[in-house]
Amino acid sequence: MLLLSIIFLPLFGSIASGLFGFYIGRKGSVFITTLTTFLSFLFSLIIFYNSITFEYEYLIYLATWINSGLFNCNWSFLFDTLTMVMLIVVTSISTFVHLYSSQYMSHDPHLSRFMSYLSLFTFFMIILVTGDNFVQMFVGWEGVGFCSFLLINFWFTRLQANKAAIKAMLINRISDLIFLLGILTIFYNIRTIEYFSAFAAISIVENFNFIFFNYNLSIIDVACILIFIGAMGKSAQIFLHLWLPDAMEGPTPVSALIHAATMVTAGVYLIARCSPIFEYSIFSLKVITIIGASTAFFASTIGLVQNDFKKIVAYSTCSQLGYMFFACGLSNYPLAIFHLSNHAYFKALLFLCSGAVIHAMGDEQDIRKMGGLRRILPYTYMMFLIGSLSLMGFPFLTGFYSKDLILEVSFASFSETGHFAYWLGTIGAFFTAFYSTRLLFFAFLSETNAYKNVIKNAHDVPLEMGLPLGLLAFGSIFIGYLSKDMFVGLGSNFWNNSIYINPLNNQMIDAEFLPVIFKLLPVILSFCGLFSAFYLYFFKFKFLYQLKISNYGLYFYNFLNRKWYFDKIYYEFVNQYILRIGYNFTYKMIDKGLIEMFGPYGLAIIFSFLSRQIILLQTGYVYHYSLLILISTIFLINIVFFSLLFYFNFIIIILFILLFLIIK
């Protein structure tokens, strides 16, 4: 009962707030949704404690969903170590966001609806991480996509919010379709969609191949690549990242919930859950490593020139997800989940602090119109500083333990892809420290550029918003240290059977014997990024301006500011042609053409014509009626005595009737 309460309590809160918000009021909606999410978090902690103390794993069968031939799908919930870690992360961040939203959205007339959406999102995320088969997980997968559309488009009167929500929906639907093809590939070859059965049988199909356009492809490689593309869309990896920065149009608590611990981390969870499959596909692991490292580098470069407060934090999310992915690509799934849990706390802290700053500045998000906020918002400044230092990987903060270890392991792999990931990740660490310091400078440390009336009315966060910030700051400082031995410690049996690593792919021991310089290089470059940004923006601001307006500097700045021209390429060379094909072929030829011809319009014409012709049969001539009686008699005789010839005779009779009507 306790386990089912974890799952269904957020759903109960969502229904209560969404359907009965008018009767229970705004305070009642906030209270119920926050309470149910908090209870779900509390029960998750209890179950987690039992799991690590007594090594319990739970599997709850609820009902049969689909039972058709070999396809058997049940509503059942799996509570293993991986699930419990995700549950704690999801429910804790969701609780903090609910509490924060109660004050942040207090002036919004649709607060009850907003709280309902947040709880519904939490419910679908719990369904995603607790499902014991691919189809049930896909239900949660689509559910969080649907809720993200509702939350991003919450202020639906804003055009940019509409565009961002549609963009997020379309890009995620593309990747979700490919993910579904991956699930179907697994089912077609293994005949099951349950995790344990599929993972146990994967070694049987290890050498299965098929011919595709004269290429011999491995079944496992194809399934892994399809699953990975699904994860790319949800976790905003390069080529499918376009929706993430635009999703900042939603309220700030939405950004904290979606982009810290839940939706964007679903892709990392998917790869970790499918680790027994990916361990049999060396090719897909190399692809994951390359894509993840490229994303980490790419997003960190774009963050250097952004001026929107939330978009800078969003690109840092994209960059950190790259670190998680290439950790998975190097077969270090526990390390990826470790960084996921650490990242959730300091990234939620950064987003909620950005919301406090934007709220204080009268909804202004341009960092060039801020400044001097360390004196006006001292508590928010302190919290944001903790989150930024943790993001940079400052020694002995939460982000340091996982981020540094990921880079150590990538170098210890002694492979081309591992070294590629190490160097891009290390350079990305430098850029991360640089743009984080830049953000601190423009928002808090520089002289103010805001309007006088805005500064006069600015105030620090109230208790309802300050308490989640304090708790997240505690997590951003201590969570990494407290959990590192349990998650990634040598000899730890914490993950049990929830994650599988091929012993040949485990580089954790090798990472312990790396030369010191390669261990310290990411930290050194992070400090270099911090101090170089501090020096340039405080003392050499004029030099930066001259560099920016120079010929090469301007070209480089435009290249980064336009996000490597990905949006331009997609809009001008992909979207236009797809939309044109959609209009000319799908809309004009099929929708307005064939479907209308054989559908409503065509049927109306046909039946109108037939009715007019049938009316003409009422001629009053006996021989006409005799002919119809003869045809009917032949038809009935064939049905009764010659059923084998029924279809042939039926066609002949129909043609005869039509010929008669036309002649008449």
PDB file of all heavy atoms in Angstrom, residues 60-83:
ATOM      1  N   ILE A  60       5.285  -5.100  -7.934  1.00  0.00           N
ATOM      2  CA  ILE A  60       3.846  -5.102  -7.649  1.00  0.00           C
ATOM      3  C   ILE A  60       3.074  -5.314  -8.940  1.00  0.00           C
ATOM      4  O   ILE A  60       3.204  -4.524  -9.889  1.00  0.00           O
ATOM      5  CB  ILE A  60       3.403  -3.788  -6.989  1.00  0.00           C
ATOM      6  CG1 ILE A  60       4.146  -3.564  -5.682  1.00  0.00           C
ATOM      7  CG2 ILE A  60       1.912  -3.784  -6.745  1.00  0.00           C
ATOM      8  CD1 ILE A  60       3.812  -2.246  -5.020  1.00  0.00           C
ATOM      9  N   TYR A  61       2.286  -6.377  -8.986  1.00  0.00           N
ATOM     10  CA  TYR A  61       1.387  -6.622 -10.114  1.00  0.00           C
ATOM     11  C   TYR A  61       0.038  -5.991  -9.795  1.00  0.00           C
ATOM     12  O   TYR A  61      -0.577  -6.293  -8.777  1.00  0.00           O
ATOM     13  CB  TYR A  61       1.251  -8.128 -10.359  1.00  0.00           C
ATOM     14  CG  TYR A  61       0.158  -8.481 -11.347  1.00  0.00           C
ATOM     15  CD1 TYR A  61       0.382  -8.377 -12.713  1.00  0.00           C
ATOM     16  CD2 TYR A  61      -1.094  -8.904 -10.903  1.00  0.00           C
ATOM     17  CE1 TYR A  61      -0.620  -8.689 -13.619  1.00  0.00           C
ATOM     18  CE2 TYR A  61      -2.092  -9.226 -11.791  1.00  0.00           C
ATOM     19  CZ  TYR A  61      -1.855  -9.110 -13.154  1.00  0.00           C
ATOM     20  OH  TYR A  61      -2.849  -9.399 -14.055  1.00  0.00           O
ATOM     21  N   LEU A  62      -0.452  -5.127 -10.668  1.00  0.00           N
ATOM     22  CA  LEU A  62      -1.719  -4.450 -10.440  1.00  0.00           C
ATOM     23  C   LEU A  62      -2.843  -5.051 -11.269  1.00  0.00           C
ATOM     24  O   LEU A  62      -3.905  -5.373 -10.735  1.00  0.00           O
ATOM     25  CB  LEU A  62      -1.562  -2.954 -10.757  1.00  0.00           C
ATOM     26  CG  LEU A  62      -2.598  -2.013 -10.144  1.00  0.00           C
ATOM     27  CD1 LEU A  62      -2.550  -2.089  -8.635  1.00  0.00           C
ATOM     28  CD2 LEU A  62      -2.346  -0.570 -10.601  1.00  0.00           C
ATOM     29  N   ALA A  63      -2.649  -5.170 -12.572  1.00  0.00           N
ATOM     30  CA  ALA A  63      -3.688  -5.708 -13.449  1.00  0.00           C
ATOM     31  C   ALA A  63      -3.082  -6.069 -14.792  1.00  0.00           C
ATOM     32  O   ALA A  63      -1.994  -5.616 -15.151  1.00  0.00           O
ATOM     33  CB  ALA A  63      -4.818  -4.691 -13.637  1.00  0.00           C
ATOM     34  N   THR A  64      -3.801  -6.909 -15.541  1.00  0.00           N
ATOM     35  CA  THR A  64      -3.406  -7.218 -16.914  1.00  0.00           C
ATOM     36  C   THR A  64      -3.918  -6.125 -17.829  1.00  0.00           C
ATOM     37  O   THR A  64      -5.092  -5.752 -17.768  1.00  0.00           O
ATOM     38  CB  THR A  64      -3.954  -8.581 -17.349  1.00  0.00           C
ATOM     39  OG1 THR A  64      -3.431  -9.600 -16.484  1.00  0.00           O
ATOM     40  CG2 THR A  64      -3.560  -8.884 -18.782  1.00  0.00           C
ATOM     41  N   TRP A  65      -3.074  -5.625 -18.674  1.00  0.00           N
ATOM     42  CA  TRP A  65      -3.439  -4.547 -19.590  1.00  0.00           C
ATOM     43  C   TRP A  65      -3.748  -5.098 -20.980  1.00  0.00           C
ATOM     44  O   TRP A  65      -4.866  -4.983 -21.459  1.00  0.00           O
ATOM     45  CB  TRP A  65      -2.300  -3.532 -19.638  1.00  0.00           C
ATOM     46  CG  TRP A  65      -2.593  -2.324 -20.486  1.00  0.00           C
ATOM     47  CD1 TRP A  65      -3.808  -1.942 -20.955  1.00  0.00           C
ATOM     48  CD2 TRP A  65      -1.651  -1.339 -20.955  1.00  0.00           C
ATOM     49  NE1 TRP A  65      -3.684  -0.775 -21.693  1.00  0.00           N
ATOM     50  CE2 TRP A  65      -2.385  -0.389 -21.697  1.00  0.00           C
ATOM     51  CE3 TRP A  65      -0.277  -1.172 -20.791  1.00  0.00           C
ATOM     52  CZ2 TRP A  65      -1.759   0.705 -22.300  1.00  0.00           C
ATOM     53  CZ3 TRP A  65       0.347  -0.074 -21.387  1.00  0.00           C
ATOM     54  CH2 TRP A  65      -0.403   0.848 -22.133  1.00  0.00           C
ATOM     55  N   ILE A  66      -2.788  -5.715 -21.621  1.00  0.00           N
ATOM     56  CA  ILE A  66      -2.961  -6.274 -22.964  1.00  0.00           C
ATOM     57  C   ILE A  66      -2.478  -7.718 -22.939  1.00  0.00           C
ATOM     58  O   ILE A  66      -1.373  -8.006 -22.494  1.00  0.00           O
ATOM     59  CB  ILE A  66      -2.166  -5.475 -24.021  1.00  0.00           C
ATOM     60  CG1 ILE A  66      -2.550  -3.997 -23.996  1.00  0.00           C
ATOM     61  CG2 ILE A  66      -2.409  -6.051 -25.417  1.00  0.00           C
ATOM     62  CD1 ILE A  66      -1.645  -3.117 -24.856  1.00  0.00           C
ATOM     63  N   ASN A  67      -3.305  -8.627 -23.432  1.00  0.00           N
ATOM     64  CA  ASN A  67      -2.933 -10.034 -23.541  1.00  0.00           C
ATOM     65  C   ASN A  67      -3.423 -10.540 -24.887  1.00  0.00           C
ATOM     66  O   ASN A  67      -4.574 -10.923 -25.046  1.00  0.00           O
ATOM     67  CB  ASN A  67      -3.529 -10.837 -22.385  1.00  0.00           C
ATOM     68  CG  ASN A  67      -2.952 -12.238 -22.303  1.00  0.00           C
ATOM     69  OD1 ASN A  67      -2.067 -12.620 -23.082  1.00  0.00           O
ATOM     70  ND2 ASN A  67      -3.433 -13.022 -21.364  1.00  0.00           N
ATOM     71  N   SER A  68      -2.541 -10.523 -25.869  1.00  0.00           N
ATOM     72  CA  SER A  68      -2.898 -10.897 -27.228  1.00  0.00           C
ATOM     73  C   SER A  68      -1.789 -11.752 -27.827  1.00  0.00           C
ATOM     74  O   SER A  68      -0.736 -11.231 -28.225  1.00  0.00           O
ATOM     75  CB  SER A  68      -3.127  -9.643 -28.083  1.00  0.00           C
ATOM     76  OG  SER A  68      -3.408  -9.977 -29.422  1.00  0.00           O
ATOM     77  N   GLY A  69      -2.023 -13.068 -27.891  1.00  0.00           N
ATOM     78  CA  GLY A  69      -1.014 -13.970 -28.430  1.00  0.00           C
ATOM     79  C   GLY A  69       0.242 -13.944 -27.582  1.00  0.00           C
ATOM     80  O   GLY A  69       0.216 -14.182 -26.372  1.00  0.00           O
ATOM     81  N   LEU A  70       1.364 -13.654 -28.246  1.00  0.00           N
ATOM     82  CA  LEU A  70       2.637 -13.578 -27.535  1.00  0.00           C
ATOM     83  C   LEU A  70       2.842 -12.235 -26.835  1.00  0.00           C
ATOM     84  O   LEU A  70       3.759 -12.099 -26.026  1.00  0.00           O
ATOM     85  CB  LEU A  70       3.804 -13.815 -28.509  1.00  0.00           C
ATOM     86  CG  LEU A  70       3.915 -15.216 -29.109  1.00  0.00           C
ATOM     87  CD1 LEU A  70       5.008 -15.262 -30.160  1.00  0.00           C
ATOM     88  CD2 LEU A  70       4.175 -16.254 -28.027  1.00  0.00           C
ATOM     89  N   PHE A  71       1.997 -11.263 -27.171  1.00  0.00           N
ATOM     90  CA  PHE A  71       2.143  -9.937 -26.586  1.00  0.00           C
ATOM     91  C   PHE A  71       1.384  -9.879 -25.267  1.00  0.00           C
ATOM     92  O   PHE A  71       0.155  -9.905 -25.226  1.00  0.00           O
ATOM     93  CB  PHE A  71       1.627  -8.872 -27.550  1.00  0.00           C
ATOM     94  CG  PHE A  71       1.874  -7.463 -27.073  1.00  0.00           C
ATOM     95  CD1 PHE A  71       3.132  -6.907 -27.163  1.00  0.00           C
ATOM     96  CD2 PHE A  71       0.857  -6.704 -26.540  1.00  0.00           C
ATOM     97  CE1 PHE A  71       3.369  -5.620 -26.737  1.00  0.00           C
ATOM     98  CE2 PHE A  71       1.076  -5.412 -26.112  1.00  0.00           C
ATOM     99  CZ  PHE A  71       2.345  -4.863 -26.204  1.00  0.00           C
ATOM    100  N   ASN A  72       2.120  -9.796 -24.197  1.00  0.00           N
ATOM    101  CA  ASN A  72       1.542  -9.756 -22.859  1.00  0.00           C
ATOM    102  C   ASN A  72       2.096  -8.541 -22.116  1.00  0.00           C
ATOM    103  O   ASN A  72       3.306  -8.426 -21.921  1.00  0.00           O
ATOM    104  CB  ASN A  72       1.861 -11.038 -22.100  1.00  0.00           C
ATOM    105  CG  ASN A  72       1.151 -11.094 -20.763  1.00  0.00           C
ATOM    106  OD1 ASN A  72       0.123 -10.447 -20.565  1.00  0.00           O
ATOM    107  ND2 ASN A  72       1.694 -11.851 -19.845  1.00  0.00           N
ATOM    108  N   CYS A  73       1.215  -7.637 -21.733  1.00  0.00           N
ATOM    109  CA  CYS A  73       1.636  -6.412 -21.058  1.00  0.00           C
ATOM    110  C   CYS A  73       0.767  -6.205 -19.818  1.00  0.00           C
ATOM    111  O   CYS A  73      -0.468  -6.212 -19.901  1.00  0.00           O
ATOM    112  CB  CYS A  73       1.516  -5.214 -22.002  1.00  0.00           C
ATOM    113  SG  CYS A  73       2.050  -3.652 -21.277  1.00  0.00           S
ATOM    114  N   ASN A  74       1.419  -6.035 -18.688  1.00  0.00           N
ATOM    115  CA  ASN A  74       0.716  -5.869 -17.416  1.00  0.00           C
ATOM    116  C   ASN A  74       0.975  -4.488 -16.839  1.00  0.00           C
ATOM    117  O   ASN A  74       1.987  -3.842 -17.135  1.00  0.00           O
ATOM    118  CB  ASN A  74       1.172  -6.922 -16.399  1.00  0.00           C
ATOM    119  CG  ASN A  74       0.925  -8.332 -16.889  1.00  0.00           C
ATOM    120  OD1 ASN A  74      -0.104  -8.629 -17.486  1.00  0.00           O
ATOM    121  ND2 ASN A  74       1.890  -9.220 -16.651  1.00  0.00           N
ATOM    122  N   TRP A  75       0.035  -4.059 -16.001  1.00  0.00           N
ATOM    123  CA  TRP A  75       0.268  -2.889 -15.162  1.00  0.00           C
ATOM    124  C   TRP A  75       0.981  -3.382 -13.901  1.00  0.00           C
ATOM    125  O   TRP A  75       0.366  -3.875 -12.966  1.00  0.00           O
ATOM    126  CB  TRP A  75      -1.036  -2.203 -14.782  1.00  0.00           C
ATOM    127  CG  TRP A  75      -1.639  -1.372 -15.866  1.00  0.00           C
ATOM    128  CD1 TRP A  75      -2.752  -1.661 -16.577  1.00  0.00           C
ATOM    129  CD2 TRP A  75      -1.157  -0.129 -16.360  1.00  0.00           C
ATOM    130  NE1 TRP A  75      -3.004  -0.677 -17.503  1.00  0.00           N
ATOM    131  CE2 TRP A  75      -2.035   0.290 -17.389  1.00  0.00           C
ATOM    132  CE3 TRP A  75      -0.064   0.679 -16.051  1.00  0.00           C
ATOM    133  CZ2 TRP A  75      -1.865   1.461 -18.097  1.00  0.00           C
ATOM    134  CZ3 TRP A  75       0.109   1.850 -16.756  1.00  0.00           C
ATOM    135  CH2 TRP A  75      -0.782   2.237 -17.754  1.00  0.00           C
ATOM    136  N   SER A  76       2.279  -3.275 -13.894  1.00  0.00           N
ATOM    137  CA  SER A  76       3.067  -3.696 -12.746  1.00  0.00           C
ATOM    138  C   SER A  76       4.188  -2.693 -12.518  1.00  0.00           C
ATOM    139  O   SER A  76       4.662  -2.055 -13.462  1.00  0.00           O
ATOM    140  CB  SER A  76       3.625  -5.108 -12.928  1.00  0.00           C
ATOM    141  OG  SER A  76       4.121  -5.327 -14.100  1.00  0.00           O
ATOM    142  N   PHE A  77       4.613  -2.593 -11.275  1.00  0.00           N
ATOM    143  CA  PHE A  77       5.553  -1.548 -10.878  1.00  0.00           C
ATOM    144  C   PHE A  77       6.785  -2.184 -10.238  1.00  0.00           C
ATOM    145  O   PHE A  77       6.675  -3.017  -9.340  1.00  0.00           O
ATOM    146  CB  PHE A  77       4.887  -0.576  -9.905  1.00  0.00           C
ATOM    147  CG  PHE A  77       3.651   0.068 -10.470  1.00  0.00           C
ATOM    148  CD1 PHE A  77       2.398  -0.428 -10.169  1.00  0.00           C
ATOM    149  CD2 PHE A  77       3.754   1.147 -11.325  1.00  0.00           C
ATOM    150  CE1 PHE A  77       1.257   0.156 -10.695  1.00  0.00           C
ATOM    151  CE2 PHE A  77       2.617   1.743 -11.865  1.00  0.00           C
ATOM    152  CZ  PHE A  77       1.373   1.244 -11.553  1.00  0.00           C
ATOM    153  N   LEU A  78       7.934  -1.757 -10.715  1.00  0.00           N
ATOM    154  CA  LEU A  78       9.214  -2.269 -10.241  1.00  0.00           C
ATOM    155  C   LEU A  78       9.883  -1.234  -9.343  1.00  0.00           C
ATOM    156  O   LEU A  78      10.048  -0.073  -9.728  1.00  0.00           O
ATOM    157  CB  LEU A  78      10.111  -2.592 -11.441  1.00  0.00           C
ATOM    158  CG  LEU A  78      11.563  -2.979 -11.146  1.00  0.00           C
ATOM    159  CD1 LEU A  78      11.628  -4.289 -10.377  1.00  0.00           C
ATOM    160  CD2 LEU A  78      12.354  -3.065 -12.445  1.00  0.00           C
ATOM    161  N   PHE A  79      10.282  -1.668  -8.152  1.00  0.00           N
ATOM    162  CA  PHE A  79      10.995  -0.806  -7.210  1.00  0.00           C
ATOM    163  C   PHE A  79      12.347  -1.434  -6.905  1.00  0.00           C
ATOM    164  O   PHE A  79      12.513  -2.154  -5.922  1.00  0.00           O
ATOM    165  CB  PHE A  79      10.185  -0.617  -5.920  1.00  0.00           C
ATOM    166  CG  PHE A  79       8.932   0.186  -6.088  1.00  0.00           C
ATOM    167  CD1 PHE A  79       7.766  -0.426  -6.511  1.00  0.00           C
ATOM    168  CD2 PHE A  79       8.921   1.547  -5.842  1.00  0.00           C
ATOM    169  CE1 PHE A  79       6.602   0.312  -6.672  1.00  0.00           C
ATOM    170  CE2 PHE A  79       7.767   2.293  -6.007  1.00  0.00           C
ATOM    171  CZ  PHE A  79       6.597   1.673  -6.422  1.00  0.00           C
ATOM    172  N   ASP A  80      13.309  -1.188  -7.780  1.00  0.00           N
ATOM    173  CA  ASP A  80      14.671  -1.600  -7.488  1.00  0.00           C
ATOM    174  C   ASP A  80      15.493  -0.371  -7.123  1.00  0.00           C
ATOM    175  O   ASP A  80      14.958   0.732  -6.954  1.00  0.00           O
ATOM    176  CB  ASP A  80      15.280  -2.376  -8.657  1.00  0.00           C
ATOM    177  CG  ASP A  80      15.335  -1.552  -9.938  1.00  0.00           C
ATOM    178  OD1 ASP A  80      14.906  -0.383  -9.929  1.00  0.00           O
ATOM    179  OD2 ASP A  80      15.815  -2.070 -10.974  1.00  0.00           O
ATOM    180  N   THR A  81      16.793  -0.539  -7.014  1.00  0.00           N
ATOM    181  CA  THR A  81      17.643   0.557  -6.545  1.00  0.00           C
ATOM    182  C   THR A  81      17.600   1.748  -7.490  1.00  0.00           C
ATOM    183  O   THR A  81      17.514   2.906  -7.055  1.00  0.00           O
ATOM    184  CB  THR A  81      19.090   0.065  -6.387  1.00  0.00           C
ATOM    185  OG1 THR A  81      19.126  -1.155  -5.675  1.00  0.00           O
ATOM    186  CG2 THR A  81      19.900   1.102  -5.642  1.00  0.00           C
ATOM    187  N   LEU A  82      17.681   1.486  -8.782  1.00  0.00           N
ATOM    188  CA  LEU A  82      17.658   2.566  -9.772  1.00  0.00           C
ATOM    189  C   LEU A  82      16.350   3.345  -9.697  1.00  0.00           C
ATOM    190  O   LEU A  82      16.347   4.581  -9.725  1.00  0.00           O
ATOM    191  CB  LEU A  82      17.866   1.991 -11.179  1.00  0.00           C
ATOM    192  CG  LEU A  82      17.867   2.977 -12.347  1.00  0.00           C
ATOM    193  CD1 LEU A  82      18.964   4.025 -12.176  1.00  0.00           C
ATOM    194  CD2 LEU A  82      18.051   2.237 -13.674  1.00  0.00           C
ATOM    195  N   THR A  83      15.249   2.629  -9.569  1.00  0.00           N
ATOM    196  CA  THR A  83      13.946   3.284  -9.458  1.00  0.00           C
ATOM    197  C   THR A  83      13.862   4.143  -8.209  1.00  0.00           C
ATOM    198  O   THR A  83      13.373   5.270  -8.240  1.00  0.00           O
ATOM    199  CB  THR A  83      12.825   2.231  -9.453  1.00  0.00           C
ATOM    200  OG1 THR A  83      12.857   1.507 -10.674  1.00  0.00           O
ATOM    201  CG2 THR A  83      11.470   2.885  -9.289  1.00  0.00           C
TER     202      THR A  83
END
